[in-house]
Amino acid sequence: MDHFELTNGELHAEQVPLAAIAAAVGTPVYVYSRATLTRHARVFREALSVLPRVHLAFAVKSNPNLAVLKLLASEGYGADVVSAGEMHRALAAGMPGEHIVFSGVGKTQREMHEALEAGLGQFNLESEEEGVELSAIAAARGKRAAATLRVNPDVDARTHAKISTGKSENKFGVPYDQAAGIYARLSALPGLAMRGLDCHIGSQITDLEPSRAAFTKMGELMGALRGQGLTVTHMDLGGGLGVPYRAGETLPGPAEYAAMVAELTRDWDATLMFEPGRVITGNGGVLVTEVIRVKAGAVHPFVIVDAAMNDLVRPAMYDAWHDFAAVRPTGQRMTANIVGPICESSDTFAMARDTDAVGAGDLAVFRTAGAYGATMANTYNSRALVPEVMVDGDKWAVVAERIEPATILAAERVPEWL
Ligand code: LLP
């Protein structure tokens, strides 16, 4: 459910016509709906309120925009960050350091120092090697870093291979059968306060069974660790819950997910931590674009839009589907290939798509673009870095400016010897 709807035949974000934003800011532009983001944050939190002790850490990578983080901070969310850059954003948005979890397979020593300096709440260690380094750094500062060990449960999340993280061949976490030994050794280090386990098996998970299998294995491991006298007070179950990308699609939502977790973890007696990203932000944003022209094709016409794979890379990278709709639909339909202007065949949003008929100069949107949209944008083909807007009722504001190619050019230098 979102707040991008037709009013008087024209697509609005809440009460603001998308055409008004496009006229003022230009296209392409991401538009977020505050009401939608708030609603998703609340639905997820309320669903999990059936659990006794919960910590919610929004996965910043899904949408790191400062205004979005600020909104989520005010909804009581902490953050899951994977770089010092993300950590500084979460702090800038007003999230307390102790509500921030530091994930990621390649934390540098410099990042560890910065995170300790900022008083971060928890490090999710991805290897024994990382734990040894963090312990030394923390001990030298007279600290013990609260940490969990990320375990790779070797479960197939049944999602796209490029966003699957919990199979043994993936780079994430430590192998399940070595986890107990590693946890025991890390628990003995002077600079670490090991407090639990962590897993995250993938993203856009549309079936609860893989998570059920992974969490069951995590519960068994927790029991084994406690049986050895080791402390386990926190269990981080990661993010990954999928969202509907196609109109009419129904997937297990936060309530079903929470019921599954509640059943499995009834006897865990641990604080449960979650790192939702897409389920909060996915349907909270659209990418508004203008049709440059329609070109005849061998089979279907090519609708060439002014958004491209540099603005929204998901279709090119993961064969992802984003619904495409006209901002002022005429009621006519067409079957078309929807493509961007970049000089690569992968700059294709959809092939043979049955869609609203559009022509040159018309505005259209790619829906469900609030997660892994603007944050994955780049400037390939010397295009601008796409701007972002947030709508709240009948008002709106630019929350990230367009960075023009000229600004990027101005940061480049030609050495005097050239
Ligand atoms: N926690 C960890 C450790 C993660 O690696 C991720 C996502 C999340 C939480 C949040 O997962 P979510 O709830 O958003 O599914 N760019 C890809 C998705 C990559 C996800 C990477 N990790 C896409 O556009 O589909």
Side-chain angles (χ1 to χ4, degrees), residues 59 61 80 150 163 200 203 240 275 277-278 314 318 372 376:
K61 64 170 80 69
D80 168 56
R150 180 165 178 181
I163 52 175
H200 172 79
S203 194
E275 302 169 354
R278 191 188 316 260
R314 303 193 66 260
Y318 316 110
Y372 307 107
M376 294 181 78

Side-chain angles (χ1 to χ4, degrees), residues 136-410:
I137 290 171
R141 302 173 73 105
K143 291 191 177 182
R144 285 175 85 96
T148 66
L149 180 62
R150 180 165 178 181
V151 177
N152 185 323
D154 194 21
V155 165
D156 184 352
R158 298 186 209 154
T159 182
H160 192 280
K162 286 188 181 157
I163 52 175
S164 193
T165 51
K167 287 283 290 166
S168 57
E169 66 264 28
N170 298 134
K171 67 181 175 180
F172 301 99
V174 301
Y176 186 80
D177 54 3
Q178 294 172 27
I182 295 174
Y183 194 87
R185 291 193 290 279
L186 291 177
S187 295
L189 295 180
L192 296 182
M194 293 305 294
R195 65 180 196 178
L197 299 171
D198 163 41
C199 79
H200 172 79
I201 60 170
S203 194
Q204 186 55 13
I205 301 175
T206 56
D207 167 357
L208 293 182
E209 288 317 305
S211 301
R212 185 193 297 278
F215 300 164
T216 302
K217 289 181 90 169
M218 297 300 284
E220 287 165 8
L221 183 57
M222 177 189 76
L225 296 177
R226 285 179 175 162
Q228 290 175 41
L230 296 163
T231 302
V232 180
T233 56
H234 289 69
M235 293 292 285
D236 187 335
L237 301 180
L241 193 59
V243 301
Y245 277 93
R246 297 182 194 221
E249 193 181 2
T250 47
L251 301 178
E256 287 101 322
Y257 176 78
M260 179 271 288
V261 172
E263 181 203 323
L264 280 183
T265 62
R266 204 178 309 123
D267 305 322
W268 281 20
D269 188 25
T271 297
L272 299 180
M273 307 177 72
F274 298 90
E275 302 169 354
R278 191 188 316 260
V279 72
I280 310 291
T281 50
N283 287 307
V286 297
L287 174 61
V288 184
T289 187
E290 185 179 306
V291 177
I292 298 174
R293 71 179 60 84
V294 179
K295 167 182 158 165
V299 184
H300 300 297
F302 289 96
V303 171
I304 306 170
V305 295
D306 69 356
M309 63 188 283
N310 71 304
D311 305 303
L312 176 64
V313 76
R314 303 193 66 260
M317 199 157 169
Y318 316 110
D319 307 308
W321 176 289
H322 285 266
D323 276 348
F324 180 77
V327 166
R328 292 184 176 119
T330 59
Q332 310 274 90
R333 307 287 296 172
M334 73 194 297
T335 301
N337 303 326
I338 303 160
V339 301
I342 282 183
C343 299
E344 294 217 21
S345 294
S346 55
D347 187 22
T348 298
F349 292 106
M351 291 297 282
R353 179 75 67 91
D354 170 42
T355 181
D356 291 333
V358 285
D362 288 346
L363 293 171
V365 294
F366 292 102
R367 289 183 174 272
T368 318
Y372 307 107
T375 183
M376 294 181 78
N378 60 69
T379 62
Y380 186 39
N381 276 203
S382 290
R383 290 167 52 86
L385 202 55
V386 61
E388 298 161 84
V389 161
M390 188 182 286
V391 170
D392 178 14
D394 61 0
K395 61 179 189 285
W396 61 273
V398 172
V399 292
E401 288 180 16
R402 187 186 310 280
I403 298 179
E404 298 291 351
T407 308
I408 295 164
L409 185 61

